[in-house]
Amino acid sequence: MTATLISIIIIFAFLTISILIIPKIKSEPLGLPKGSVRSILTILIILPLTVMFMKSILTDGEMKLPDGYLELVSLIIGYYFGMRSKQ
């Protein structure tokens, strides 16, 4: 839990610094280079799952996902591949 919060804080700090320093790209969201927002969202979705998985391995405990987390990840993956197949 603590590692996830620290990771989120680092990502938001990076995002804030990049918005202030990097020149704005008007056609992209938040003025960031193409794919940056997508990669940040991917990290925010996958990082908690990875932390929970590693915690369950190290403590020999059962991996308990929050309700709806697996459904959310499945929905995102399905949407991604659905949009890619249209192109």
Side-chain angles (χ1 to χ4, degrees), residues 55-71:
K55 182 179 177 185
S56 70
I57 288 175
L58 296 175
T59 60
D60 292 331
E62 184 179 330
M63 186 171 161
K64 296 179 184 176
L65 292 174
D67 292 337
Y69 188 80
L70 187 58
E71 289 84 8

Side-chain angles (χ1 to χ4, degrees), residues 3-59:
T4 304
L5 290 175
I6 291 171
S7 302
I8 291 172
I9 291 170
I10 290 171
I11 290 170
F12 281 124
F14 171 74
L15 184 62
T16 304
I17 290 170
S18 64
I19 288 173
L20 295 175
I21 294 176
I22 297 175
K24 301 282 188 236
I25 302 171
K26 302 222 187 266
S27 63
E28 297 297 325
L30 300 175
L32 296 173
K34 186 174 184 174
S36 297
V37 174
R38 186 178 343 166
S39 64
I40 291 170
L41 291 174
T42 303
I43 290 170
L44 288 175
I45 292 169
I46 299 299
L47 188 65
L49 182 63
T50 306
V51 169
M52 286 185 275
F53 181 69
M54 293 304 293
K55 182 179 177 185
S56 70
I57 288 175
L58 296 175
T59 60

